[in-house]
Amino acid sequence: MDVILLEDVKSLGKKGDLVKVSDGYARNFILPKKLGLEATPKNLNDLKLQKAAQEKREREILEEARTLAGTIAQKNIVLKLKTGEGGRTFGSISTKEIAQALKDQLGLEIDKKKLVLAEPLRNIGTYTVPIKLHAKVTAELKVRVDQM
């Protein structure tokens, strides 16, 4: 029997896959637990329409991420860091402060987890901080750290 999976089933397939299983397995396990539907022509057509809609949504999200990356690449933000004698700095700037500065200075809401920073910024200067907006899109943000 052909079955369309509604959820991921271990050792069988992922959600939306069309799999061939024995009649007993389908009747006694997959269908009662609502893990799949019988592959009728109507259900196959519904699956095709759902996949098309999902692909369209993913393309739109990717396009929005690319547009946002272009916007971010043109801008830069300025943060202040307290310094002492000889240019020695006190404290550091983490992804949390950079995300807050993005919100305050540019009006962009970006989650701090999307900022890829190996270690906090501890010195005065200009840095390029990568922002992972999408699996396929990474933006480069210029961050200038000045002394307070």
Side-chain angles (χ1 to χ4, degrees):
M1 173 184 282
D2 288 334
V3 176
I4 299 170
L5 296 178
L6 298 176
E7 294 183 25
D8 292 352
V9 179
K10 190 174 182 177
S11 76
L12 193 58
K14 300 222 178 262
K15 179 180 178 181
D17 287 351
L18 179 66
V19 294
K20 188 170 194 73
V21 295
S22 67
D23 291 349
Y25 186 59
R27 276 196 308 269
N28 296 322
F29 181 74
I30 293 183
L31 298 176
K33 292 195 176 204
K34 307 250 190 280
L35 297 175
L37 291 173
E38 189 175 347
T40 62
K42 179 194 176 302
N43 289 340
L44 288 171
N45 191 35
D46 290 346
L47 174 67
K48 189 170 87 173
L49 293 174
Q50 287 175 355
K51 282 189 176 183
Q54 178 67 24
E55 287 175 7
K56 182 181 177 194
R57 264 185 261 126
E58 288 174 3
R59 279 194 308 270
E60 289 172 354
I61 290 171
L62 180 62
E63 190 57 41
E64 287 176 16
R66 286 185 176 143
T67 304
L68 184 58
T71 303
I72 289 173
Q74 296 171 358
K75 311 266 181 168
N76 62 351
I77 60 172
V78 179
L79 294 165
K80 303 265 187 212
L81 194 59
K82 194 171 186 177
T83 57
E85 288 182 30
R88 180 183 154 94
T89 60
F90 300 105
S92 63
I93 296 175
S94 67
T95 56
K96 183 178 178 183
E97 286 91 10
I98 295 171
Q100 187 62 42
L102 270 168
K103 183 178 177 185
D104 295 341
Q105 295 177 21
L106 302 179
L108 297 173
E109 286 272 343
I110 296 191
D111 188 19
K112 68 179 182 177
K113 294 174 187 154
K114 293 187 178 198
L115 296 164
V116 182
L117 200 59
E119 56 186 44
L121 307 178
R122 290 192 169 91
N123 296 316
I124 304 298
T126 303
Y127 299 91
T128 302
V129 178
I131 303 174
K132 191 87 165 153
L133 297 172
H134 188 272
K136 298 177 182 175
V137 179
T138 302
E140 300 280 326
L141 173 68
K142 291 191 179 27
V143 178
R144 195 174 82 220
V145 180
D146 290 341
Q147 54 184 337
M148 197 175 274

